[in-house]
Amino acid sequence: KDIILYYLCNYPDREISFKAISEEMGIQSYDIVSTLQFLGMIKYWRGKHVILKKEDIIEDYLERTRRRPKDKEISAEYLKWKPYEPSGKEKRQAEQIKRKQEERQKGR
């Protein structure tokens, strides 16, 4: 929930979409919706889901972040990440699945 609250605190535009949050933060839309429901920060109004920026929840989040010890922050220079590279066997399995799906589509 802290990641979503961080995003809401730092998002400059008035309009926010679940898709934008999902793409920018790498969180599934379903998880964003359920977290906002848990926080009571989402409602359905005039046929749309509306994100409510509840000041009390945001202030509580900001206060918690101010009190956190700074020595426990993760330094970006030490993070090393590379995308997952499937093995040869996994690639072959994926190709087989893809071919079977294409065959089923042709058979319809």
Side-chain angles (χ1 to χ4, degrees), residues 1-9 21 25-27 61:
K1 77 180 179 185
D2 281 3
I3 301 296
I4 295 171
L5 290 171
Y6 172 82
Y7 185 86
L8 294 176
C9 290
I21 299 172
M25 304 308 284
I27 304 171
Y61 162 74

Side-chain angles (χ1 to χ4, degrees), residues 29-63:
S29 295
Y30 173 82
D31 293 329
I32 295 166
V33 171
S34 63
T35 300
L36 291 171
Q37 285 174 332
F38 172 76
L39 294 170
M41 295 179 70
I42 189 172
K43 74 175 185 175
Y44 194 73
W45 186 65
R46 292 189 180 181
K48 291 183 176 181
H49 285 97
V50 179
I51 297 172
L52 309 170
K53 282 180 105 175
K54 289 189 170 181
E55 292 301 318
D56 58 331
I57 293 173
I58 291 173
E59 285 300 318
D60 179 54
Y61 162 74
L62 292 172
E63 180 59 32

Side-chain angles (χ1 to χ4, degrees), residues 51-90:
I51 297 172
L52 309 170
K53 282 180 105 175
K54 289 189 170 181
E55 292 301 318
D56 58 331
I57 293 173
I58 291 173
E59 285 300 318
D60 179 54
Y61 162 74
L62 292 172
E63 180 59 32
R64 282 187 292 117
T65 58
R66 281 191 281 275
R67 289 190 311 235
R68 284 186 185 141
K70 299 297 179 203
D71 63 331
K72 295 195 177 181
E73 289 184 3
I74 297 173
S75 176
E77 67 188 71
Y78 293 105
L79 290 177
K80 296 190 179 11
W81 181 86
K82 64 179 186 174
Y84 174 73
E85 183 64 37
S87 68
K89 181 180 178 182
E90 290 170 322

Side-chain angles (χ1 to χ4, degrees), residues 89-103:
K89 181 180 178 182
E90 290 170 322
K91 289 178 184 177
R92 287 189 300 277
Q93 288 174 335
E95 283 298 318
Q96 287 176 346
I97 292 169
K98 185 177 177 181
R99 279 194 300 273
K100 287 180 183 178
Q101 289 173 343
E102 288 171 353
E103 288 172 8

